[in-house]
Each structure stands twice: as structure tokens, then as C-alpha cells.
Amino acid sequence: MSTAVAVAGIIALGAWRSKSLTQNGAFAAFAVGVLAMRAGWAWGAFLVAWFAIAALISRVGRRVKAARMFGVVAKGAERDARQVLANGGVFAFCAMLTLIVAQIDGFSIETHRLVDIGVAAAATGALAAAGADTWATEFGTLIGGTPWSLRERRRVPVGTSGALSVAGTLAAIAGGIVLAALAATLHMIPFTVAPAVALSAVAGAFTDSLLGAWWQDRRWCPHCVMHTEQVQHVCGTRTECTGGIGVLDNDAVNFLCTLVGAALAAATVFTHPR
Ligand SMILES: [Zn+2]
């Protein structure tokens, strides 16, 4: 237990100091980290690797991306608690579930094994979906050119939710595959389950785009005459809701993306036990 607390604490502190996380974001990441490491070293290793890759990718071409997305996206590079839980909440819940299931005596060894694999696949699917979505956003912004809006069927400003580019789409697919393979390499899931997890992750990332295109809260700054995700725009003006569902902000959409990744991965394991 003390090792889990120490490792999660050091990483959360480092992420806060290097401005990858805000203070409450670091606390949330610490809680997710402790749960993961209690669930097993493979869980902890996968979480740490996932976070390191995400932090690295967000730093590639940071200035170019910031300039292209200025005033459009809701939040900066520093992630707060709500963002951490939108990405890692389902994963943390699965870690908790694994710890609870381990305490149940009534199951046979086969049932325990199947549930363990199913829950680990769900956890991996959730995090890989969030990762695939991050890869799509980061690479799409950097090299994807002007993205295409599914809903409006026209080109829209970089950073618009639900807009796709070829580079972003390929990055999502690559992200799902790489992260699922990484989880299998770290013994978080069996290699036989990795393809299903990769597919689930990509499906989760596309759900994010669909929700982002049609139902995510859309806002307009009358002062700057531009679309944005920010409730209060960078210029200080309070933005107006012009479409979508108010409660469905970027974090809520991200959470649903991880939920779809988790549900599809678990469903595959439980419907195809081996
Ligand atoms: Zn403005």
C-alpha cells in the first residue's frame, strides 16, 4: 500500500510541478494512481505509460497547436480534476471493481479469471479510447490541416469539436492499436484480447467525434465573432449557447468516449470467453 501511495504521489507531484496538471487535477490523478497500483502492478504500469505518452504528445509542436487553437478549445494544457476523471474515471472504477471482485469467495477460479480479464479489458478500453481521442486531437491539430465537420459538411476552424481530418483519424486508429498492444505487453490483458480492445478504443474515439459534432454544447463569442468551447471567452466576454446540449461539455463527451471503449471491450470478452 505504501509503495502505491509513494509512486502515485511522486508522479502526481511531478505532473503538477511540470504544469501537466492543476492542483486539484494532481489530487484526482493521485487517487486514480493509488487505485490502479492496488489493482495490480500491470494496471499501474499501463496508467503511468499512458500518461507519459499523452504528456509527450501534447508537448510535440505545442506552440503551433496553441496558435492554431487559440480561443477555441475550452481549456489549456494543464488538466484539472474534472478532465482527469473524464479520462481516467472509468479506469479507476474498473480498478476498484477488480479489488472488490478479488474479495468475493463464491466464484469458481474460471469465473474469477473471466471477470478479471473482462474488467481489465474494460479498463484498458476506456484508457485507450481516451488516448486514441487525444492522439487524434493532437496530431490532427498539428498536421491535419483544416478539418471537416461531419454535421455541417464543410471545413471548419482547427479545434472545432466533432471535426475530422485524415491525419487525426489515422492517429486515432494508431493510438488505439499502440495502446492496446502496450497493455498486452505489460500483461494488463492477454494478447488475444488486444485486437478487440484496440477496436473498442477506436470506436470510443469516433463516438467522441459524433457526440462532439451533434450534441456537444456549442458556444459563440459575440465580441470576437467566433465559435468556441469556452463558457467565458479568452477576451472576457460571456459566450452564448448556439446549439447542442448545455450539460454535454467537452469533459462529459470525453467521459462517454471512455465508457463506450470500456463497454465494447468488456462485452467482447464476456460474449467470447476462452
Ligand atoms: Zn471573445
Side-chain angles (χ1 to χ4, degrees):
M1 184 69 190
S2 55
T3 313
V5 171
V7 173
I10 289 166
I11 292 169
L13 195 66
W16 174 54
R17 292 289 300 269
S18 68
K19 301 205 185 301
S20 288
L21 296 170
T22 64
Q23 196 174 27
N24 67 20
F27 275 113
F30 172 70
V32 174
V34 170
L35 276 171
M37 281 174 212
R38 292 289 291 151
W41 79 263
W43 289 64
F46 180 59
L47 180 64
V48 170
W50 178 89
F51 184 74
I53 293 171
L56 197 70
I57 286 178
S58 76
R59 273 170 167 71
V60 176
R62 183 182 250 180
R63 281 205 199 112
V64 177
K65 288 183 290 195
R68 288 195 181 156
M69 298 214 283
F70 183 75
V72 177
V73 291
K75 289 162 184 169
E78 258 184 311
R79 288 167 179 248
D80 60 20
R82 217 165 161 267
Q83 277 172 296
V84 169
L85 295 177
N87 286 294
V90 172
F91 179 85
F93 175 78
C94 291
M96 211 153 37
L97 207 58
T98 275
L99 292 168
I100 292 167
V101 170
Q103 303 299 317
I104 299 173
D105 290 330
F107 292 165
S108 67
I109 291 171
E110 293 80 46
T111 307
H112 261 296
R113 198 179 158 271
L114 179 64
V115 172
D116 276 346
I117 293 174
V119 174
T124 315
L127 223 46
D133 182 54
T134 305
W135 287 40
T137 306
E138 300 291 347
F139 287 110
T141 305
L142 192 60
I143 53 172
T146 311
W148 180 266
S149 166
L150 289 173
R151 182 177 53 86
E152 298 177 58
R153 301 207 194 127
R154 64 181 178 87
R155 298 201 174 274
V156 288
V158 173
T160 305
S161 284
L164 300 179
S165 63
V166 174
T169 304
L170 292 177
I173 295 168
I177 293 171
V178 168
L179 292 168
L182 180 68
T185 308
L186 294 170
H187 301 291
M188 167 106 189
I189 50 168
F191 270 101
T192 48
V193 174
V197 168
L199 268 177
S200 305
V202 175
F206 280 103
T207 305
D208 192 296
S209 291
L210 292 177
L211 289 172
W214 273 277
W215 294 289
Q216 187 173 322
D217 186 27
R218 290 192 290 280
R219 311 200 71 89
W220 173 259
C221 176
H223 180 257
C224 304
V225 197
M226 70 180 284
H227 291 285
T228 177
E229 286 184 1
Q230 299 166 349
V231 175
Q232 175 155 9
H233 202 219
V234 278
C235 64
T237 309
R238 197 175 163 80
T239 57
E240 299 159 1
C241 178
T242 57
I245 303 167
V247 292
L248 214 57
D249 64 4
N250 196 50
D251 292 335
V253 168
N254 257 339
F255 180 79
L256 291 173
C257 153
T258 65
L259 202 59
V260 167
L264 289 177
T268 317
V269 170
F270 289 127
T271 53
H272 297 84
R274 64 204 103 202

